[in-house]
Amino acid sequence: MSVVHISTKSKSYEVRIEPGLRHTLYNLMHAHKMSDASSFLIITDEHVHDLYIDDVLAGFPKQDHVYVEKVASGESSKSFEVYQKLQERALEIGLDRKSVIIALGGGVIGDLAGFVAATYMRGVRFVQVPTTLLAHDSSVGGKVAINLPGAKNIVGAFFQPELVIYDTEMLHSLPEREWRSGFAEVVKHGFIRDREFLDWLKGQVTSFEQFNDEFLKEMLVQSIGVKADVVSADETEQGIRAYLNFGHTLGHAIEAELGYGELSHGEAVAVGMIFALRLSERVFQIELPVKETITWLETLGYSTNVPKGLSAEQLLASMKKDKKTTGGLIRMVLVEECGKAVLKDVADEPLLDLLHKAIEEGFDDSWN
Amino acid sequence: MSVVHISTKSKSYEVRIEPGLRHTLYNLMHAHKMSDASSFLIITDEHVHDLYIDDVLAGFPKQDHVYVEKVASGESSKSFEVYQKLQERALEIGLDRKSVIIALGGGVIGDLAGFVAATYMRGVRFVQVPTTLLAHDSSVGGKVAINLPGAKNIVGAFFQPELVIYDTEMLHSLPEREWRSGFAEVVKHGFIRDREFLDWLKGQVTSFEQFNDEFLKEMLVQSIGVKADVVSADETEQGIRAYLNFGHTLGHAIEAELGYGELSHGEAVAVGMIFALRLSERVFQIELPVKETITWLETLGYSTNVPKGLSAEQLLASMKKDKKTTGGLIRMVLVEECGKAVLKDVADEPLLDLLHKAIEEGFDDSWN
């Protein structure tokens, strides 16, 4: 079994990666200090429920004290309303401080169930069981949250899981768009911290169809390794954890201005990464393999230009609403070279200038 | 100025106690690493607002970036609805990660504003400015929470303030019932941890009218000192922090079954403490100064018997709902001697037996 160790100030835990693990959740939890669990609440969405809940439940020796709560699939479930309902439900079924909450699903479920766990009785144990590639990122590191209209992840906590259980078999039911969304975060990990991994990805990945269990395992170990490294050094985003925001400042703005769901998260981040690379070239007066990256990503079905209909001014205003912004300047994650991220406060003018150029000419043309 | 130092795993901070401090909140925060605050949100209730908000605001050099949110006085404000409204408001006025939330009020405000601060953007700094005696307990130690119907403090976090600012002048507007409510927690601190302090209280306090600023300061330093001691050793209630629950297991049950507000929190805790003392005598086969304690508390206006109309069975069932209960037995905080608490899992039968006796005969009669 492949294992990545995460070690933060508040907790140490493992990410276990292997095909078929959904059948043995109970045993894994039992072996990871949860043998004293008084009850389990599995929070999942309708889609994942229909595909996998039977497999998951079959792995529990007894069905009493195992509860399942199903929410609607999609971002809309990260609401105060659903959060409150889940808390009421937890109380109703009598979860206590020895209970374990299991997040069975993608990033939405991990964020939502994690925030329920972080705050029910001021915190009960929880286990992440990610079912998407994108969630390889969100399920590790302990960021949990819900949304307010117009502000994603605005209310939440830093709360680490006890264990992350990654069954790569569950990824095979993902549509291509979901692969693309998740793979952008894999690429991001290469750009900010691990050039070798980035080069390996560029050499290996020419389509998502080649992602068999063996390959996925290797890729996930590397990608989660970068994440583990960063959050171990900086659990609560006082410093280098901000590197993980590479591509996200513009990415989030595109998602918000376009309306969530038009582009997937990773598709928007891909555009944001290309923007950050071009900005890095300009700020540090260096040359980066941007064109090569664009070509590669487009082979994989990404569209790397700013979507039509968005204005530079609108995007800049949206970037300023990001909760990483304090004071007037926008804190951008740039790279000094591939594999080496750096934080830089950037004024409005160069950002606007680049955004205009990107919208009018695209990123692919000759830049200088 | 009197200062108590609190030092937990997650944060170290001070409790500053002095008459008149409400006029200088800004300066105190400035001197305590909050000189970089981008904005302030003062959360208070209608009652405290009308009495003190002008004094507080006058201490801020500039009024821009200082916001005030007023909620209804009383426990009903610790709801999901009010919590969500405050989060929406924080977003609307543009609080960012460098903002500071100030809880100006009693325990309700501290719990509510603290939970908003703990979760807005996954945590922004907050400052406790308690305005009641009861809040000398709740404002220290980082327990913050809101309620669900039938379950107090069920959703919350452990989140320490940056600073606790205690202006004893603000206590003088309290009605006698509030003094009684808060003083029960002072007495509790004596019983669980500091016999000398308990004896000093018994010798000194014969009415609440004698509580001038000088006396309050001395008492608060001692009482908060016990709390500091306990939470420093055990921030997240894995062990001895549970001692603070002395008198609360039955106290909470009385509050819940009688309907919140019939007895004040401290008045219910006083009954719970007497019960815990009698139970301690029985469990450890010792004799404690129960009768003397009853006489003292009654002089101060407490009623120390279980309120009429409650049944032993009903109270026991309610005690079992407490979130400290795991498995079947009820974990009681008892004392081996005055000033020395100990945890003990107690079965239903002896509890029921004692409750029956207490309801039928009162605590004051000869026990054996």
Side-chain angles (χ1 to χ4, degrees):
Chain A
M1 171 134 34
S2 295
V3 180
V4 181
H5 294 271
I6 318 282
S7 172
T8 70
K9 214 175 131 191
S10 68
K11 199 176 285 174
S12 292
Y13 57 98
E14 294 181 0
V15 183
R16 301 191 79 94
I17 308 166
E18 197 72 27
L21 290 184
R22 70 188 178 284
H23 299 287
T24 57
L25 294 195
Y26 179 84
N27 290 341
L28 281 165
M29 292 188 293
H30 199 273
H32 281 78
K33 299 191 193 157
M34 283 169 272
S35 57
D36 65 339
S38 55
S39 58
F40 301 92
L41 172 60
I42 302 170
I43 297 176
T44 188
D45 70 21
E46 287 165 352
H47 182 68
V48 174
H49 180 273
D50 293 350
L51 287 170
Y52 299 117
I53 197 70
D54 292 342
D55 291 351
V56 165
L57 289 176
F60 283 79
K62 290 185 301 178
Q63 298 302 312
D64 56 331
H65 300 296
V66 183
Y67 307 91
V68 178
E69 277 302 303
K70 189 168 66 170
V71 304
S73 303
E75 192 73 27
S76 65
S77 284
K78 280 174 65 178
S79 67
F80 273 78
E81 196 191 342
V82 174
Y83 170 65
Q84 180 177 350
K85 270 195 191 143
L86 289 171
Q87 294 284 10
E88 285 165 349
R89 186 71 186 130
L91 180 64
E92 201 176 283
I93 62 184
L95 289 205
D96 64 27
R97 288 183 170 177
K98 295 236 179 261
S99 300
V100 174
I101 290 178
I102 298 168
L104 174 68
V108 165
I109 292 298
D111 283 1
L112 172 66
F115 189 50
V116 172
T119 54
Y120 182 71
M121 292 190 170
R122 299 196 183 90
V124 297
R125 295 172 291 182
F126 92 110
V127 171
Q128 290 269 21
V129 186
T131 59
T132 65
L133 179 60
L134 183 59
H136 92 280
D137 183 33
S138 56
S139 66
V140 172
K143 277 195 178 182
V144 296
I146 56 175
N147 305 331
L148 279 177
K152 276 184 77 167
N153 299 327
I154 194 76
V155 175
F158 291 99
F159 192 70
Q160 305 293 340
E162 299 297 310
L163 183 62
V164 182
I165 301 174
Y166 221 135
D167 176 357
T168 49
E169 273 177 19
M170 291 199 283
L171 299 183
H172 297 310
S173 57
L174 293 176
E176 175 155 348
R177 190 156 181 251
E178 276 295 322
W179 283 117
R180 241 187 333 265
S181 188
F183 188 68
E185 301 286 359
V186 178
V187 173
K188 178 193 78 179
H189 288 148
F191 268 114
I192 63 171
R193 198 95 173 158
D194 191 340
R195 181 178 191 146
E196 208 176 307
F197 177 48
L198 180 65
D199 290 343
W200 179 79
L201 289 170
K202 282 185 177 170
Q204 295 280 317
V205 181
T206 53
S207 89
F208 297 124
E209 277 137 43
Q210 69 190 83
F211 281 12
N212 59 34
D213 285 319
E214 217 32 58
F215 183 87
L216 275 171
K217 218 160 76 169
E218 188 168 352
M219 184 176 83
L220 286 169
V221 166
Q222 299 284 331
S223 189
I224 293 172
V226 171
K227 178 87 185 242
D229 199 23
V230 171
V231 302
S232 297
D234 175 24
E235 180 174 11
T236 56
E237 198 160 349
Q238 309 298 309
I240 68 161
R241 184 163 184 162
Y243 293 170
L244 298 171
N245 217 33
F246 182 67
H248 283 61
T249 314
L250 180 59
H252 280 155
I254 290 173
E255 282 186 276
E257 295 308 311
L258 210 57
Y260 287 101
E262 283 296 307
L263 278 189
S264 74
H265 177 66
E267 286 169 333
V269 167
V271 181
M273 288 196 288
I274 300 297
F275 178 75
L277 290 174
R278 287 293 188 208
L279 184 61
S280 302
E281 289 188 321
R282 204 172 265 206
V283 167
F284 301 121
Q285 300 284 314
I286 52 174
E287 218 173 288
L288 294 164
V290 187
K291 192 140 185 176
E292 176 200 306
T293 306
I294 289 173
T295 306
W296 177 48
L297 291 179
E298 289 187 344
T299 307
L300 294 169
Y302 293 90
S303 162
T304 56
N305 282 318
V306 176
K308 292 210 186 315
L310 301 177
S311 78
E313 288 73 15
Q314 187 187 4
L315 288 169
L316 184 75
S318 188
M319 286 160 82
K320 289 201 154 186
K321 275 194 256 167
D322 193 283
K323 63 180 173 301
K324 274 106 190 165
T325 302
T326 55
L329 298 174
I330 294 182
R331 178 153 294 179
M332 294 292 300
V333 187
L334 304 180
V335 293
E336 289 176 322
E337 57 186 78
C338 288
K340 197 165 174 202
V342 62
L343 290 174
K344 184 90 189 166
D345 290 332
V346 183
D348 291 3
E349 256 188 35
L351 287 172
L352 260 185
D353 187 51
L354 261 187
L355 282 168
H356 276 297
K357 198 166 153 66
I359 288 168
E360 282 149 29
E361 301 172 24
F363 291 113
D364 202 6
D365 295 281
S366 60
W367 282 63
N368 46 47
Chain B
M1 170 134 35
S2 295
V3 180
V4 181
H5 295 272
I6 318 283
S7 172
T8 70
K9 214 176 131 192
S10 68
K11 200 176 283 174
S12 291
Y13 57 97
E14 293 181 0
V15 183
R16 301 189 80 95
I17 308 166
E18 196 72 28
L21 290 184
R22 70 188 178 284
H23 299 288
T24 57
L25 294 195
Y26 178 84
N27 290 341
L28 281 165
M29 292 189 292
H30 199 274
H32 282 78
K33 299 191 194 158
M34 282 169 274
S35 57
D36 64 339
S38 55
S39 57
F40 301 92
L41 172 59
I42 302 170
I43 297 176
T44 188
D45 70 21
E46 286 165 352
H47 182 69
V48 174
H49 179 274
D50 293 350
L51 287 170
Y52 299 117
I53 198 71
D54 292 343
D55 291 351
V56 165
L57 288 176
F60 284 79
K62 289 185 301 180
Q63 298 303 311
D64 55 332
H65 300 295
V66 183
Y67 306 91
V68 178
E69 277 302 303
K70 189 169 65 170
V71 303
S73 303
E75 192 72 27
S76 67
S77 284
K78 280 174 65 177
S79 67
F80 273 79
E81 196 191 341
V82 174
Y83 170 65
Q84 180 177 350
K85 270 195 191 143
L86 289 171
Q87 294 285 9
E88 285 165 349
R89 186 72 187 128
L91 181 64
E92 201 176 283
I93 61 183
L95 289 205
D96 64 27
R97 289 183 169 177
K98 295 236 178 262
S99 299
V100 174
I101 290 178
I102 298 167
L104 174 69
V108 165
I109 292 297
D111 283 1
L112 172 67
F115 189 49
V116 172
T119 53
Y120 182 71
M121 293 190 170
R122 298 196 184 90
V124 297
R125 294 173 291 183
F126 92 110
V127 171
Q128 290 269 21
V129 186
T131 60
T132 66
L133 179 60
L134 183 59
H136 93 279
D137 184 32
S138 56
S139 66
V140 173
K143 276 195 180 183
V144 296
I146 56 175
N147 304 332
L148 279 177
K152 274 184 80 166
N153 299 328
I154 193 77
V155 175
F158 291 99
F159 191 71
Q160 304 293 339
E162 300 296 312
L163 183 62
V164 181
I165 301 173
Y166 221 134
D167 175 357
T168 49
E169 274 177 18
M170 291 199 283
L171 299 182
H172 296 309
S173 56
L174 293 176
E176 175 157 347
R177 190 155 181 251
E178 275 295 323
W179 283 116
R180 241 189 330 267
S181 188
F183 188 68
E185 301 286 358
V186 178
V187 174
K188 179 192 78 179
H189 288 148
F191 267 113
I192 62 170
R193 196 96 173 160
D194 191 339
R195 178 175 194 150
E196 207 175 310
F197 176 48
L198 179 65
D199 290 342
W200 179 79
L201 289 170
K202 282 185 177 172
Q204 295 282 315
V205 180
T206 53
S207 88
F208 298 123
E209 276 137 43
Q210 70 191 84
F211 281 12
N212 58 33
D213 285 319
E214 217 34 56
F215 183 86
L216 274 171
K217 217 160 76 170
E218 186 167 355
M219 184 176 82
L220 286 170
V221 166
Q222 299 284 331
S223 190
I224 293 172
V226 170
K227 177 88 185 241
D229 200 22
V230 171
V231 302
S232 297
D234 176 24
E235 180 174 10
T236 57
E237 199 159 348
Q238 309 297 311
I240 68 161
R241 185 162 184 162
Y243 292 171
L244 298 172
N245 217 33
F246 182 67
H248 283 60
T249 313
L250 180 60
H252 281 153
I254 290 173
E255 282 186 277
E257 296 307 311
L258 209 58
Y260 287 100
E262 282 298 305
L263 277 188
S264 75
H265 176 67
E267 286 169 332
V269 167
V271 181
M273 289 195 288
I274 300 297
F275 177 75
L277 290 174
R278 286 293 187 208
L279 185 61
S280 302
E281 289 188 321
R282 204 173 265 208
V283 167
F284 300 120
Q285 299 285 314
I286 53 175
E287 217 172 289
L288 295 164
V290 187
K291 191 140 187 174
E292 176 201 306
T293 305
I294 289 172
T295 307
W296 177 48
L297 291 179
E298 290 188 343
T299 308
L300 294 170
Y302 293 90
S303 164
T304 56
N305 281 318
V306 176
K308 290 211 186 316
L310 299 177
S311 79
E313 288 74 14
Q314 186 187 4
L315 289 169
L316 184 75
S318 188
M319 286 160 82
K320 290 201 153 185
K321 276 194 255 168
D322 194 283
K323 64 180 173 302
K324 274 108 190 163
T325 300
T326 56
L329 298 174
I330 294 182
R331 177 154 295 180
M332 294 292 300
V333 187
L334 304 180
V335 293
E336 289 176 323
E337 56 186 78
C338 288
K340 196 166 173 200
V342 63
L343 291 175
K344 185 90 187 166
D345 290 332
V346 184
D348 290 3
E349 256 189 35
L351 288 172
L352 260 185
D353 188 52
L354 261 187
L355 281 169
H356 276 296
K357 198 166 153 68
I359 288 168
E360 282 149 31
E361 302 172 24
F363 292 112
D364 202 6
D365 295 282
S366 61
W367 282 63
N368 46 47

